[in-house]
Amino acid sequence: MTADKRQQLVERARDLLSKQVVHWEAPAPWAQAQDESSSYRQLAVAVRQALAGDLGAIPTLRRVFGEPFFARTNSHNEYGLASLGLALLGDRESLEHIRGVMPINLNRETRPLALALLEEPTDLTPRSED
């Protein structure tokens, strides 16, 4: 993958995350009070950290895959947020979890994008002109 193609993918991932994270930042309509310790709020904070390049978000983003009921909804969109956040942070250790995400709802777009960012090597070697 060329550096330009990779940058396009990164920009697309960042745009998707920026648009989606607001749904987890706002109090859930079905919750009486969504405090700072709620798993949905923690996921939103971790996504914002990933957008800022903060590797400290990785453990929280991984919790979406490994901890039962952590920020879990019927839509499964939280897997897409976590996948893209981990991909932006270059967390190749999460590849198997991302590969296992069901391609439904938002994940139809986020899963292949996250996999492309993590699986495809980047061709950053300068091309010699003959």
Side-chain angles (χ1 to χ4, degrees):
M1 169 185 325
T2 66
D4 287 341
K5 176 64 176 171
R6 179 167 181 72
Q7 186 58 37
Q8 289 174 354
L9 293 176
V10 166
E11 288 173 15
R12 190 165 142 219
R14 292 180 60 76
D15 183 55
L16 268 170
L17 277 179
S18 296
K19 288 178 180 173
Q20 292 296 317
V21 72
V22 297
H23 300 293
W24 276 262
E25 289 173 325
W30 41 263
Q32 288 186 345
Q34 188 167 338
D35 62 37
E36 296 298 313
S37 65
S38 82
S39 59
Y40 302 103
R41 179 72 180 133
Q42 290 176 50
L43 175 59
V45 169
V47 167
R48 291 287 180 195
Q49 287 177 292
L51 286 167
D54 182 353
L55 296 174
I58 291 174
T60 302
L61 295 172
R62 286 181 181 170
R63 287 177 69 189
V64 171
F65 299 102
E67 187 175 316
F69 308 110
F70 181 81
R72 199 68 52 90
T73 63
N74 289 335
S75 71
H76 289 232
N77 288 347
E78 60 281 354
Y79 291 110
L81 291 180
S83 296
L84 286 183
L86 292 165
L88 286 176
L89 295 172
D91 182 35
R92 294 185 52 80
E93 290 179 36
S94 295
L95 264 171
E96 288 307 311
H97 291 297
I98 295 169
R99 286 183 186 125
V101 170
M102 283 192 307
I104 62 170
N105 301 325
L106 179 65
N107 299 322
R108 282 189 210 115
E109 187 171 4
T110 58
R111 181 180 178 269
L113 180 54
L115 291 174
L117 286 169
L118 288 173
E119 291 178 333
E120 291 293 321
T122 304
D123 180 14
L124 296 176
T125 46
R127 299 186 189 275
S128 62
E129 308 226 0
D130 296 320

